[in-house]
Amino acid sequence: TTAPASSLKLRYLSTPVLSTATSTVSGVKIGWGKVTGADGYYVYRKTRFGNFQRIATVKGKTSFLDSSAKKGTTYYYTVIAYKGTMLSSYDKDGIKVKDKY
């Protein structure tokens, strides 16, 4: 038997909201708001004319330090929340920061 429609719950993950992007001596640090129910986050980076590439998987925190960022390069970062195989949407513009160090 199948469950009545009234007992079905639509499950989804909210889109992570990017809150900070700072150039530090150690690299570029980005931060975002916690997404309820997420197991973790995928961090993506691109340059102005490039495509987003996944650079990290983060669990248990809502920040990431990109120590591979190159001085003088402007990057765009975005984050996708995940729970198992379910993925959130993402900010298609990302958050922009220039690595100064």
Side-chain angles (χ1 to χ4, degrees):
T1 64
T2 58
S6 62
S7 70
L8 297 177
K9 290 183 180 177
L10 181 62
R11 294 185 186 177
Y12 66 95
L13 294 169
S14 300
T15 302
V17 176
L18 296 156
S19 55
T20 60
T22 309
S23 180
T24 73
V25 175
S26 303
V28 174
K29 183 170 185 176
I30 63 165
W32 57 90
K34 182 178 168 103
V35 173
T36 302
D39 290 338
Y41 306 91
Y42 297 132
V43 178
Y44 290 78
R45 178 182 81 187
K46 72 174 186 170
T47 53
R48 184 172 179 201
F49 297 109
N51 295 317
F52 279 117
Q53 301 289 323
R54 189 161 90 190
I55 59 168
T57 300
V58 177
K59 290 184 179 182
K61 58 183 182 170
T62 55
S63 64
F64 174 73
L65 178 65
D66 180 7
S67 57
S68 69
K70 294 185 178 17
K71 179 180 177 180
T73 303
T74 298
Y75 294 104
Y76 299 81
Y77 293 88
T78 197
V79 176
I80 294 176
Y82 71 87
K83 180 172 183 66
T85 58
M86 185 172 38
L87 301 174
S88 72
S89 186
Y90 63 97
D91 179 340
K92 290 166 184 52
D93 295 325
I95 192 166
K96 177 181 171 182
V97 63
K98 182 172 184 173
D99 192 7
K100 300 177 205 159
Y101 296 95

